[in-house]
Every structure is written in structure tokens, then in C-alpha cells.
């Protein structure tokens, strides 16, 4: 999994040349693709409960079947191999492995991930495991969920179980995917499971997710060989002020604190930012942070995953905002604890089917900032991609030139960042397959591979073939 510190080579007549050993992959999440929600001992997760609650997910869609990856896994791995992918980033379903979030594992659940890992390795594809991608066992939510300290302790036990089953074959591990969404969309705005709208609970949830990460890293290191690498994937918001007015600059600072530094502070510096605590003091006194917690959270990491889709544009309150302009769905309740009066604005430019502005420059700027803030920490782009209104044409093809241009632009931005000294080791397209897109149901298609949900037929899109050529050659063509 390791490679030497990359350095970008100048583009040739064929395109932008990425470093030797750069990892080209795609990613998915268990609840979005697996289906089989009641098979082999799996019990409901918070997303099973949430998606079955009327009005929470568009069209009443659920992940009950999703794209049936649980049964079609060998076919999907063969697809990856046919596309020349070097790595597959997948998440493990906690309630499939440990149905109540405590106690011994269900071996049938672990066996699925053992088979998946073996299939990948047999095809020359590196498995990259994410332990938590939002599917908390409902049993643990019933006991209080992430706002409860015990959930972090349960996560560490679960991490040890999965590491014991797959540690001899998986070299790169991710503890959490986008804990911001779990804490602030799940317990603040309520647009994600479990759908709670409790500002104080967001801060407690964020802290216990941080603690789960630290305890999880320790559990992984106790079970894994020394060659294994640990990481976390954060959806770091690239926040821009609307103007240079001091009030707008302060609005950007406040959003940066509650979106980014609430995790990077304790995880990578060993402390919560003082301005974050001051901004949120009226919500909670932070007494949930106990002696020794920050040392537990601040574990050395081998890499950091960066998820990026679009920048965030903000101004001080009173200057107007667009509903849903923060990119995280409309709600009467704010996810921005302590900064709920900040105004969000649509960034100018072309947008995806999600309404998110296409801005590759934001990715470059974000990578440069992370590199400057945490020099020496290798980075992976663990999610980047776009939803468009894809369809099968009369020839049976899915042509998606907009996605090809999106990928080309963002990979060019990544190449520029490498040229500027960023230690970027790999890129994972979101996502491998069209799938259940959380509260949007099946209405948004992010996949490299088109899925006909009625028949489960898979059709690689034109962008998948384009990305396949990039993955095989390590060269991003400048055109075509």
C-alpha cells in the first residue's frame, strides 16, 4: 500500500502524468449497495429505521435491496477488475458483523467481507476498509447513540473484531467516514439518520466520534501487523467568505471551526480549538470532555482521507441565504451548531444534479491547506465525484460527458497540488455503482457504473471507460 512520496511529472503530449504507485480506486458504502438487510443475522441500523420513517427519504426509498451487492459481489469485483481499478474502498456494515453493537461477531457477516477481500486480492485489487460509514446498529441508538460515551467504547470493540478477521489481508484501514455528517446532520438538522434535532447532542456526538476514532486506532494497532496503515476520512469543507468584510471573514472562521477543526483539532493536534468552544459555549459547557480523552483521540495516523465535492460560500447573518445552499439538504433545523445564523450562498458556476457547484480549484486549495496545516501527513482523496441525470440511450450505452469533464478537472487539480508539494497518494471516485443516495433515495446517480434498479443490470458509463484508461496508464488525458 505504501509508495514513495509522490512528485508530479510534467504533462506529456498524452496528458498529465501521475506518480508511479499512485492508487486509482473507487468507493462505496455498505448500506448504499449491499441490500440483504435481514439476512445472515443482520439487524436494523439507524438507516434502516430512518428510511422506513415516512417523509424522511424521497419516494419512501430504502436500502432493503439497494443494488444487491451482497449477492452480486463476485460480479461487481469482476467489473472492477475489467475497469482496471487498483483499489476498492468499501465499508463494513456494523449490524451485519455485530448485530446489537456489542458481544461476539456473527461469523456469516464476517464471512461476506472475508469473501469480498479474497475476491479483490485474487483480481489484483487492493481492499481498503472503512469501519464506519453511518450505519450505527439501532440497538446502540436506542441506548442513546453517538451522544453517549459508551458508543465510542463499543466501536473500539467492533474495530478489533473486524481487524481480527481481515487484518492479515487488508493494509489500509479507515476508522470513520465523514463524522461531521454523523454528528451534525444526524443529530442537528435531522436530514440524516437518526433524524434528531438537538444542538447540544451534536457536540457530544462529535466528541464521542472523535473518541471512537482514537480508541478504534488503538484497537486496530493492537490487532493488526505493524505494516498496516490507519487513517480517517473527513469531508473537510473548503470555506470561502462572500466578501473581505471582517464580518464575512468571521462567518467563514466560525463555519471552519464547526465543520473542520472540531475534528482535525483533537485528532491531529490533540486539542479542541478555543474559538470553537467559545462559539458553542451557549449550547453546551463541554463538560463531556473528560481528563485523558484528548490523549486517547490524538493517535498518530499514517494517512488522512479527504472527501471533496464543492466549496462552501458564507457571509455574516442578515445578508440573505439560499435554502439548501450549504449543500446538506433543507431542514428547519441547522446543522451549524453555534453558527446557525451564518448565511450560505450558491457558489457561481455550473452545477451537478445535486445542485453542487463544480469547482476543481476548491479541491486544489483544500489539499494545499491540509498539507500546510499538517505537513508530512500523506493524503488520499477518498471521495470525489458527481451526480448527473444519466440514462441508457437506444444503443444501450450511458454517455456522460459532464462526468468525464468533472473527473478531468478534479484530477488536474490534484495533479497541480502534487506539483506544489502535496503528498497525495491516491484517488477514489465516488462511487463505483449507482446506489441508494441517503435521503435522496434512488433519485441521484453518482456511479461509474449505471444500475437499472428494476433488473440490477450493470452498465459501465462512458466515464467508467475513461477512468479505466486513466487507472491503467496513470495519465489523465487533456482532452478526449
Amino acid at each position: 500500500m505504501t509508495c514513495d512520496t509522490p512528485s508530479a511529472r510534467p504533462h506529456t503530449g498524452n496528458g498529465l502524468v501521475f506518480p508511479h504507485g499512485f492508487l486509482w480506486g473507487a468507493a462505496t458504502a455498505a448500506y448504499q449497495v449491499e441490500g440483504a438487510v435481514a439476512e445472515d443475522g443482520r439487524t436494523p441500523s439507524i438507516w434502516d429505521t430512518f428510511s422506513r420513517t415516512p417523509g424522511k427519504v424521497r419516494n419512501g426509498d430504502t436500502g432493503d435491496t439497494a443494488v444487491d451487492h451482497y449477492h452480486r459481489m463476485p460480479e461487481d469485483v469482476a467489473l472492477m477488475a475489467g475497469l482496471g481499478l487498483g483499489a476498492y474502498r468499501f465499508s463494513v456494515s456494523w449490524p451485519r458483523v455485530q448485530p446489537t453493537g456489542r458481544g461476539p461477531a456473527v461469523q456469516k457477516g464476517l464471512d461476506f467481507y472475508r469473501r469480498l477481500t479474497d475476491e479483490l486480492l485474487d483480481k489484483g485489487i487492493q481492499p481498503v476498509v472503512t469501519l464506519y460509514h453511518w450505519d450505527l446498529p439501532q440497538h446502540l441508538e436506542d441506548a442513546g447513540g453517538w451522544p453517549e460515551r459508551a458508543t465510542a467504547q463499543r466501536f473500539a470493540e467492533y474495530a478489533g473484531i473486524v481487524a481480527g478477521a481481515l487484518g492479515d489481508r487488508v493494509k489500509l484501514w479507515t476508522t470513520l467516514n465523514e463524522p461531521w455528517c454523523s454528528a451534525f446532520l444526524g443529530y442537528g438538522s435531522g436530514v440524516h439518520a437518526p433524524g434528531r434535532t438537538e444542538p447540544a447532542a451534536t457536540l457530544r456526538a462529535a466528541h464521542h466520534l472523535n473518541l471512537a476514532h482514537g480508541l478504534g486506532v488503538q484497537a486496530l494497532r493492537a490487532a493488526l501487523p505493524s505494516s498496516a496503515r490507519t487513517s480517517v476520512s473527513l469531508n473537510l469543507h473548503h470555506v470561502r467568505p462572500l466578501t473581505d468584510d471582517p464580518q464575512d471573514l468571521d462567518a467563514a472562521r466560525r463555519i471552519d471551526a464547526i465543520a473542520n477543526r472540531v475534528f482535525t483539532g483533537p485528532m491531529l493536534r490533540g486539542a479542541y480549538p478555543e474559538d470553537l468552544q467559545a462559539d458553542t459555549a451557549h449550547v453546551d459547557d463541554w463538560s463531556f470532555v473528560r481528563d485523558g480523552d484528548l490523549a486517547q483521540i490524538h493517535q498518530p495516523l499514517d494517512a488522512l482521507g479527504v472527501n471533496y465535492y464543492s466549496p462552501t460560500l458564507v457571509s455574516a447573518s442578515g445578508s440573505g441565504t439560499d435554502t439548501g445552499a450549504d449543500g446538506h439538504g433543507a431542514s428547519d433545523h441547522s446543522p451549524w451548531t453555534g453558527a446557525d445564523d451564518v448565511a450560505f450562498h450558491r457558489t457561481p458556476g455550473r452545477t451537478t444534479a445535486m445542485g453542487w457547484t463544480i469547482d476543481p480549484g476548491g479541491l486544489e486549495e483544500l489539499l494545499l491547506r491540509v498539507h500546510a496545516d499538517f505537513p508530512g501527513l500523506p493524503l488520499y482523496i477518498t471521495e470525489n465525484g458527481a451526480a448527473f441525470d444519466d440514462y441508457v440511450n437506444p444503443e444501450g450505452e450511458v454517455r456522460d460527458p459532464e462526468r468525464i469533464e468533472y473527473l478531468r478537472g478534479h484530477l488536474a487539480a490534484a495533479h497541480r497540488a502534487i506539483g506544489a508539494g502535496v503528498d497525495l497518494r491516491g484517488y477514489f471516485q465516488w462511487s463505483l455503482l449507482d446506489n441508494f443516495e441517503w435521503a435522496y433515495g434512488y433519485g441521484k446517480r453518482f456511479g461509474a457504473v449505471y444500475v437499472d434498479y428494476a433488473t440490477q443490470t450493470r452498465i459501465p458509463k462512458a466515464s467508467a471507460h475513461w477512468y479505466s484508461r486513466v487507472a491503467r496508464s496513470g495519465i489523465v488525458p487533456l482532452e478526449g
Side-chain angles (χ1 to χ4, degrees):
M1 194 67 201
T2 59
C3 63
D4 294 335
T5 300
S7 58
R9 287 171 279 169
H11 71 75
T12 67
N14 294 324
L16 304 174
V17 182
F18 274 70
H20 176 73
F22 192 86
L23 198 61
W24 299 98
T28 65
Y31 188 72
Q32 293 182 271
V33 299
E34 286 182 3
V37 297
E39 292 187 34
D40 295 334
R42 185 189 180 278
T43 59
S45 73
I46 54 175
W47 269 98
D48 293 280
T49 302
F50 186 80
S51 65
R52 294 185 184 120
T53 303
K56 295 298 186 183
V57 175
R58 292 186 184 180
N59 302 315
D61 292 340
T62 73
D64 288 3
T65 301
V67 296
D68 200 28
H69 178 66
Y70 191 74
H71 298 116
R72 298 171 182 266
M73 177 269 291
E75 170 191 349
D76 290 338
V77 175
L79 257 178
M80 297 178 222
L83 293 173
L85 297 184
Y88 175 50
R89 177 177 175 251
F90 61 92
S91 78
V92 175
S93 169
W94 191 348
R96 192 179 297 287
V97 167
Q98 199 183 29
T100 64
R102 65 183 69 234
V106 171
Q107 291 304 313
K108 285 186 177 180
L110 280 175
D111 284 345
F112 170 73
Y113 300 106
R114 291 185 178 109
R115 293 194 305 272
L116 169 58
T117 299
D118 289 344
E119 285 277 344
L120 292 167
L121 292 172
D122 184 62
K123 297 294 192 297
I125 301 168
Q126 296 189 44
V128 178
V129 168
T130 299
L131 288 170
Y132 186 73
H133 198 134
W134 306 353
D135 49 355
L136 186 72
Q138 184 61 44
H139 284 266
L140 292 183
E141 175 58 28
D142 292 343
W146 284 112
E148 294 297 321
R149 171 175 290 267
T151 306
Q153 297 161 341
R154 299 287 81 75
F155 176 79
E157 295 165 6
Y158 157 69
I161 288 171
V162 181
L166 304 179
D168 59 334
R169 285 159 285 179
V170 176
K171 304 303 181 187
L172 181 59
W173 293 76
T174 300
T175 53
L176 309 173
N177 182 79
E178 299 188 354
W180 186 87
C181 295
S182 297
F184 295 95
L185 301 183
Y187 296 92
S189 66
V191 300
H192 277 196
R196 289 161 59 178
T197 54
E198 305 163 26
T202 65
L203 300 176
R204 296 196 302 272
H207 177 64
H208 296 138
L209 283 154
N210 279 325
L211 186 60
H213 161 74
L215 296 175
V217 169
Q218 294 175 65
L220 290 174
R221 291 221 167 95
L224 297 174
S226 59
S227 58
R229 309 177 74 215
T230 58
S231 67
V232 64
S233 287
L234 304 177
N235 58 318
L236 297 172
H237 293 65
H238 182 56
V239 186
R240 295 169 175 159
L242 184 65
T243 72
D244 289 334
D245 183 280
Q247 290 186 324
D248 288 354
L249 293 171
D250 190 62
R253 176 202 62 76
R254 292 165 65 196
I255 295 301
D256 180 61
I258 199 64
N260 299 329
R261 291 181 285 122
V262 65
F263 296 108
T264 59
M267 287 183 181
L268 301 177
R269 299 193 189 280
Y272 283 104
E274 292 182 1
D275 64 323
L276 168 67
Q277 293 179 300
D279 290 344
T280 56
H282 65 287
V283 178
D284 198 291
D285 64 5
W286 289 77
S287 60
F288 50 78
V289 180
R290 298 183 184 174
D291 290 345
D293 281 2
L294 290 166
Q296 295 273 37
I297 295 167
H298 186 213
Q299 298 297 312
L301 290 179
D302 300 301
L304 176 67
V306 175
N307 296 357
Y308 172 85
Y309 293 95
S310 189
T312 301
L313 185 64
V314 302
S315 68
S317 60
S319 53
T321 189
D322 298 326
T323 301
D326 66 355
H328 296 299
S331 172
D332 292 334
H333 303 271
S334 173
W336 305 103
T337 307
D340 50 331
D341 59 339
V342 169
F344 289 81
H345 304 268
R346 304 275 178 185
T347 304
R350 293 180 299 118
T351 62
T352 69
M354 296 290 289
W356 298 345
T357 303
I358 301 170
D359 190 334
L363 174 61
E364 179 184 4
E365 293 163 12
L366 179 60
L367 292 172
L368 289 170
R369 177 197 170 175
V370 175
H371 172 67
D373 287 350
F374 308 105
L377 182 61
L379 306 180
Y380 290 86
I381 298 170
T382 41
E383 284 187 28
N384 177 243
F388 292 105
D389 296 324
D390 305 318
Y391 62 92
V392 181
N393 68 17
E395 290 75 39
E397 303 168 330
V398 181
R399 297 177 181 171
D400 56 342
E402 304 96 339
R403 186 172 287 105
I404 292 174
E405 288 310 305
Y406 181 99
L407 294 172
R408 190 198 319 275
H410 287 77
L411 288 171
H415 188 269
R416 292 193 298 271
I418 294 172
V422 175
D423 185 2
L424 182 65
R425 303 290 182 92
Y427 177 93
F428 291 81
Q429 182 183 354
W430 185 268
S431 63
L432 174 68
L433 300 158
D434 288 340
N435 56 43
F436 176 83
E437 186 49 41
W438 307 115
Y440 294 93
Y442 295 98
K444 304 297 182 184
R445 293 181 177 272
F446 277 87
V449 176
Y450 183 93
V451 178
D452 181 325
Y453 297 122
T455 65
Q456 296 294 349
T457 300
R458 274 86 157 128
I459 304 172
K461 302 173 188 178
S463 63
H465 297 296
W466 182 90
Y467 186 60
S468 173
R469 293 191 292 273
V470 172
R472 293 177 190 278
S473 68
I475 299 173
V476 175
L478 299 176
E479 58 185 31

